[in-house]
Amino acid sequence: MAKSLLVVDDSATMRKIITRTVRKAGLSVDDDIKEAGDGNEALTRLEEGNVDIILCDINMPGMGGLEFVKKVREDPTKASTKIIMISTESADELIDGVKADGADGYVTKPFTPETIQKELTPYM
Amino acid sequence: MPDTTEEIQSKVLDLTVEAFSTFAEDIETMFDTEVTAQQSDITEGTPDDLKDAYKKLAAVCSVTAEGAVNGEFHIIFDKDGVFTLPGTFVMQPEQVILQNRKSGKQEEAQEIGDALAEVGNLLVGAWDRIFREELEGHKHFVQSGTFIGNVWANTEESLRIKPDEELSILSFEMTVAPLPPFNCSVIYPKSVFEPVAEAPSEEAPPEAEAPAEETPAEETPAEETPAEEAPAEEAVPQAEVSAEEPKEAQDKGPVTEAISKMAESPAYLPGDFSDVSGILSGLKAKDVMRKQVSWATAEATVEDLVAKMQQDDTGYIMIGDGEKLQGIVSKSDVRGAMSPYLQSMFAKWRSSMDVATLQIKSKWVMSRPVRTVTPEASLQVIVQTMTEHGGRCTPVVDTAGKVVGTITVFDVFYALLNCSTASQSAGRAVEAPPLA
Ligand SMILES: [Mg+2]
């Protein structure tokens, strides 16, 4: 069954790039990919309806990605929602930290359709 | 680690060439197009020397570096670059990009401003990888600004550089196939190459204040309600709070001095304020206290306290069972316990250790014992209590030992302002000071 996706990034340009790349990766995802500009908006999107996989930026004004991951993981009803971080940040401490907080995967920019495919396939 | 200005400068200029080609490769990877970056020039000069290459419309990405390179530097793109890179990011057709390069104005450039910021983001990411691998002592780069427009109208705003600043300028010719090349330059103020003293690893981030004189704060022994002493080993994390205390001390200075003089001798007040002495002795704790008291348990975490403070819009939380007081936690206690890297501006450098500070328990950060007053205590007594012992929030406790309210210095101010204005019938509007 097609998975439902939520793309969280403060940059509309980056949300478009991510959405486009996911489509290019040829994964079975819903036609309607949801979007949010920061963690708070993303929490609202999550309340509105079913989301299987979240692709989430780290540096965003308002609620950033690290805080967002923790917020989602506090909610037991969202335990099955997968969270993949996407960022230019490449420091190991940061990646390990956010994974410890409950992120399921981490993609460092630049990414390709292949990178995205590899990261998302286990959850399809 | 390079340790002279010359060594740092030469290493950084080398790495810049490498970082630029990594940036080009990153764009290639993401946008599946051929991108090259060729070094075209290296010079020393002032902002004026950039005028020939960069006419009116240009874009500047500013980057703040910490570590071996220290300070802000900038990457400037000419008009062709302004339209080419973001245009590529948003997949504009080649014809549109070419048209914009020819006749695009500020307006068209602003439209792709979001994409330009993303160009900057990718650029900083590429540079950070290279510098982290190859420059010992490098800590991090953070994207600190994006400017699009007429650079020369005000270079201190656009380039964030003084007109006579000495610069190292490294220029590149970039090509995003099949479009014609464009120019960009990396502008390093020479000051960023100056060696900085090696800081200890536990160093506080730039804006943490340096420790000032010791302050008794809220830790002095209580007279009226001695609270239970916590076991000694649990007091250890208190040390983390000390970073914030000097601020408290600075804040406290002028406030308590004025109140203190008023309390000692109302005659101290200049002008026709003789009624204030009456207010101080006439008003009681029960008249000015807030009855809404926020509580948390000694096991509550800093994260819980932050949420509670936001939810209840308060700066102070009583620690205990809802009646009997074990301690008090102020907003600055909480801030002192939390890693400063949890502030959104430091998000980039946050690690799991920083996040772990949210799990520190109230009992480790609370002030105790707590100095309290009875509901019948006069304002004068309250002011004296606060002044002598430094606390800015005093719980009001009844004879059974139950907390019935709290009074902050702002409540005292508010009571003074309210009463004195009312009695003067001057008809001035009194605005309440912000609460804690
Ligand atoms: Mg972002």
Side-chain angles (χ1 to χ4, degrees), chain A residues 1-27:
Chain A
M1 208 180 84
K3 296 287 178 185
S4 133
L5 252 60
L6 169 64
V7 176
V8 190
D9 200 302
D10 57 316
S11 158
T13 306
M14 197 33 76
R15 294 199 298 268
K16 272 203 201 89
I17 294 172
I18 293 170
T19 307
R20 199 168 61 210
T21 313
V22 167
R23 298 209 187 286
K24 269 193 178 173
L27 298 159

Side-chain angles (χ1 to χ4, degrees), chain A residues 9-11 14 57-61 86 109, chain B residues 118 121 143:
Chain A
D9 200 302
D10 57 316
S11 158
M14 197 33 76
D57 184 20
I58 290 197
N59 295 324
M60 295 179 284
I86 300 188
K109 289 182 208 165
Chain B
E118 234 10 81
N121 186 19
Q143 195 179 357

Side-chain angles (χ1 to χ4, degrees), chain B residues 301-332:
Chain B
T301 62
V302 160
E303 189 169 21
D304 300 329
L305 295 172
V306 170
K308 184 86 184 147
M309 281 177 178
Q310 276 170 356
Q311 192 186 323
D312 295 358
D313 190 24
T314 181
Y316 298 93
I317 292 185
M318 308 301 119
I319 305 301
D321 59 5
E323 284 192 7
K324 283 255 184 352
L325 199 58
Q326 283 177 262
I328 184 168
V329 175
S330 70
K331 202 173 260 180
S332 63

Side-chain angles (χ1 to χ4, degrees), chain A residues 9-14 16-17 20-21 24 57-60 62 66-67 70-71 74 88-94 96-98 100-101 108-113, chain B residues 25-27 29-32 86 88-91 112 114-116 118 121-126 128-129 132 141 303 342 344 347-352 355 358-359:
Chain A
D9 200 302
D10 57 316
S11 158
T13 306
M14 197 33 76
K16 272 203 201 89
I17 294 172
R20 199 168 61 210
T21 313
K24 269 193 178 173
D57 184 20
I58 290 197
N59 295 324
M60 295 179 284
L66 302 182
E67 198 186 338
K70 289 183 22 181
K71 277 263 161 16
E74 273 169 16
T88 47
E89 302 287 341
S90 56
D92 291 338
E93 316 88 81
L94 182 96
D96 294 344
V98 69
D101 282 343
T108 309
K109 289 182 208 165
F111 50 79
T112 60
Chain B
E25 283 165 24
D26 283 1
I27 303 175
T29 306
M30 266 179 83
F31 301 98
D32 204 14
T88 306
F89 274 45
V90 297
M91 295 200 120
I112 46 175
D114 180 68
L116 184 76
E118 234 10 81
N121 186 19
L122 200 65
L123 185 132
V124 169
D128 208 30
R129 294 205 305 279
R132 184 141 26 85
F141 288 141
E303 189 169 21
L342 294 170
S344 56
K348 209 179 157 76
W349 310 306
R350 202 176 283 164
S351 76
S352 52
V355 176
L358 287 173
Q359 300 311 314

